[in-house]
Amino acid sequence: FTAFNISLILGIPPGKDFVLATCVLYPLGGLFNILVYTRPSVASFLRKCPECSQLSAFWLVLKAGGEVPDENEWRDAQQQRRSSSIFRRFFFT
């Protein structure tokens, strides 16, 4: 974004590729920040609960507000997922 503004101030029109890259990557900055700042908590949770996948650990850390959740939360989520799949199989097949 800053390079875009500098090119406009200097009177140099930015290239189409630069504008496209800026339009795509600039909004993703928030997502990259979330990934960077939750990484230590996800790594800590995975050490406590190695059978948990990285994606589910990331989701639990997000739900916990960036803190390391208790491993019982993961087990509760697993139980809830199993019971809902049994419900779906019983009623919708």
Side-chain angles (χ1 to χ4, degrees):
F1 185 72
T2 305
F4 182 76
N5 286 341
I6 291 172
S7 69
L8 289 178
I9 290 171
L10 295 176
I12 303 168
K16 291 179 185 177
D17 295 334
F18 181 73
V19 172
L20 179 65
T22 302
C23 290
V24 170
L25 294 177
Y26 186 72
L28 291 175
L31 174 66
F32 295 143
N33 281 337
I34 289 172
L35 293 174
V36 167
Y37 287 114
T38 58
R39 185 179 177 276
S41 299
V42 169
S44 176
F45 182 74
L46 286 173
R47 272 186 251 116
K48 287 188 343 185
C49 188
E51 64 271 8
C52 182
S53 70
Q54 286 188 344
L55 185 61
S56 59
F58 175 69
W59 181 247
L60 286 172
V61 167
L62 277 182
K63 283 178 35 178
E67 301 295 322
V68 179
D70 187 26
E71 65 184 84
N72 291 331
E73 289 182 37
W74 180 74
R75 298 193 197 296
D76 293 342
Q78 289 293 95
Q79 284 296 108
Q80 186 178 18
R81 205 173 302 134
R82 282 191 200 115
S83 64
S84 68
S85 66
I86 291 170
F87 175 79
R88 274 188 253 130
R89 263 187 262 143
F90 182 73
F91 287 107
F92 297 113
T93 51

